[in-house]
Amino acid sequence: MPRSEHRGAVLTIDLDAIAANYRLLVQRLQGRACAAVVKANAYGLGVERVAPTLAAAGARTFFVAHLDEGIALRALLPEVEIVVLSGPIAGAEADYVRHRLLPTLNHLGDIAAWRRFAAVQTGCRAALHLDTGMARLGLSRREVELVAAEPKLLDGVSVAWILSHLACADEPDHPLNRKQLGELRALLPRLPCRAPVSFANSSGIFLGADYHFDLGRPGVALYGVNPTPGRPNPMRPVVRLQAPILQLRDVDRPGSVGYGAAQAIEPPAKLATVGVGYADGYFRSSSPRARAVVGDVHVPIVGRVSMDLTVLDVSDAPLHAVQPGCMIDLIGPGHTVDEMADEAGTIGYEVLTALGSRYRRNYVGGAAAPG
Ligand SMILES: *Cc1c(COP(=O)(O)O)cnc(C)c1O
């Protein structure tokens, strides 16, 4: 068992696994292009290391959520195409052109704003987002009909991509998938512009070729989360979270553990306190269902997760592996991001994006660090 030199938890991010996951998705897309979604700091894993790794693996189009994320990504990757999923921000239009970022036009207001800017500025490229059933962002059918009736609404706007987003792609049998596909196919010919189409997120890529169109748009699968829930995970795991044992305690009389005396404990038992808590993104809602792993033994959490500390019942773990300073896997080969999410009543996306900034981050493989 490795001993840590410091007291904090260690987050290991396998960049080679991210590259391998990208290549696997490229393969699944059977010749269609594959973008990479790196919004929210590459789902919490660190865009500075993740984005260059994906570019080296062949990604040419990147998606982010916000203008600021796009500007930061442009500084890292001068060559690639970058699409910002939110609409153009009034007053910041020139920033998109200066940094060669494509805003996404999500409603008629976005279209009008970008058209006004296009009247005074050439090269105003954008993505056009159609709502086909997600009801979050994107032009409604009525708005598409308005644009169809009045093509000059798009005057000067160069539509580089047409996007739509699936609501239930992780449930292959959900009827909304085919419904959205039908809606997209019905809307496309109504538009006065032609452009390549991107529809499938990670799970959408696994719905089959009907959903692939011209460009896959995966995020979470790149980072090792299972895009096919309920079936074996085709992706390589990317994240390992290990926390050091700060203190061991032999329980020799009945008592309770942690805040609120929320969980009773009976002797004999061995408890290990590890240095990770909810301030690190380790969900308080996980207790009391969550587990960690020592070797191949699952060890349950006892009591409530606190801000910096969590207590594990390591009674069943091999003695040599539960010594002060030994590292315990909270996420790792024996306990996946998806399992941890399940125990916390959430999804892998939230586990990754909640990962705290306190961890020592240890990157393995991948493209070199910038600068
Ligand atoms: C986040 C996002 C994606 C990526 O989705 P995953 O499920 O993580 O693959 C794709 N498209 C849009 C519009 C998004 O917001």
Side-chain angles (χ1 to χ4, degrees), residues 118-132:
V120 297
Q121 167 79 48
T122 54
C124 284
R125 301 173 77 227
L128 190 63
H129 189 172
L130 311 182
D131 176 42
T132 53

Side-chain angles (χ1 to χ4, degrees), residues 18-352:
I18 294 177
N21 287 338
Y22 178 78
R23 289 190 293 268
L24 184 126
L25 294 168
V26 165
Q27 228 171 45
R28 298 293 305 215
L29 283 163
Q30 298 172 341
R32 308 304 172 93
C34 188
V37 181
V38 295
K39 60 191 180 188
N41 195 27
Y43 290 51
L45 301 188
V47 73
E48 291 206 353
R49 298 300 305 273
V50 169
T53 298
L54 287 163
R60 286 293 160 268
T61 302
F62 286 76
F63 287 86
V64 294
H66 300 306
L67 174 60
D68 288 349
E69 294 177 345
I71 292 172
L73 182 59
R74 176 55 76 211
L76 293 169
L77 299 175
E79 305 295 337
V80 302
E81 178 173 56
I82 301 174
V83 182
V84 180
L85 288 165
S86 55
I89 297 170
E93 290 90 347
D95 286 339
Y96 293 87
V97 175
R98 185 178 312 127
H99 299 282
R100 288 169 290 126
L101 310 172
L102 283 67
T104 299
L105 310 181
N106 288 304
H107 51 76
L108 289 179
D110 283 347
I111 291 177
W114 203 236
R115 185 186 65 243
R116 275 195 302 275
F117 186 61
V120 297
Q121 167 79 48
T122 54
C124 284
R125 301 173 77 227
L128 190 63
H129 189 172
L130 311 182
D131 176 42
T132 53
M134 176 80 173
R136 193 176 64 172
L137 292 174
L139 273 74
S140 66
R141 176 190 277 250
R142 198 184 60 83
E143 289 178 306
V144 171
E145 291 304 338
L146 283 171
V147 175
E150 213 168 332
K152 68 175 189 320
L153 288 176
L154 282 170
D155 270 358
V157 175
S158 161
V159 175
W161 295 103
I162 294 167
L163 313 180
S164 191
H165 193 51
L166 287 155
C168 304
D170 57 340
E171 298 175 58
D173 297 327
H174 200 292
L176 189 52
N177 292 321
R178 290 222 73 85
K179 197 159 171 248
Q180 285 194 261
L181 179 62
E183 181 72 4
L184 179 58
R185 284 174 171 161
L187 291 179
L188 287 174
R190 304 293 301 143
L191 289 172
C193 57
R194 296 286 164 266
V197 176
S198 175
F199 191 30
N201 66 337
S202 297
S203 294
I205 292 171
F206 292 84
L207 291 178
D210 278 356
Y211 292 81
H212 290 171
F213 291 86
D214 301 295
L215 179 75
R217 211 170 61 238
V220 85
L222 297 169
Y223 312 117
V225 170
N226 188 358
T228 61
R231 288 179 283 157
N233 188 353
M235 313 317 296
R236 253 170 71 174
V238 168
V239 171
R240 184 172 192 180
L241 176 59
Q242 297 166 290
I245 296 178
L246 303 181
Q247 188 170 341
L248 287 152
R249 180 182 311 282
D250 284 307
V251 177
D252 50 14
R253 60 179 120 167
S256 64
V257 179
Y259 283 123
Q263 190 166 352
I265 189 90
E266 292 288 332
K270 193 184 211 41
L271 302 179
T273 303
V274 295
V276 74
Y278 58 77
D280 304 295
Y282 195 77
F283 292 104
R284 188 172 175 278
S285 56
S286 309
S287 40
R289 289 214 299 138
R291 305 179 299 176
V293 178
V294 177
D296 50 12
V297 178
H298 281 114
V299 295
I301 285 179
V302 274
R304 290 180 187 155
V305 171
S306 48
M307 187 181 293
D308 323 295
L309 301 167
T310 297
V311 180
L312 303 163
D313 181 346
V314 294
S315 309
D316 296 335
L319 207 57
H320 72 271
V322 286
Q323 299 294 320
C326 283
M327 300 296 273
I328 290 189
D329 270 349
L330 300 175
I331 300 171
H335 193 236
T336 65
V337 172
D338 291 291
E339 287 169 324
M340 180 174 150
D342 206 44
E343 291 160 1
T346 182
I347 52 177
Y349 298 74
E350 198 182 11
V351 171
L352 292 185

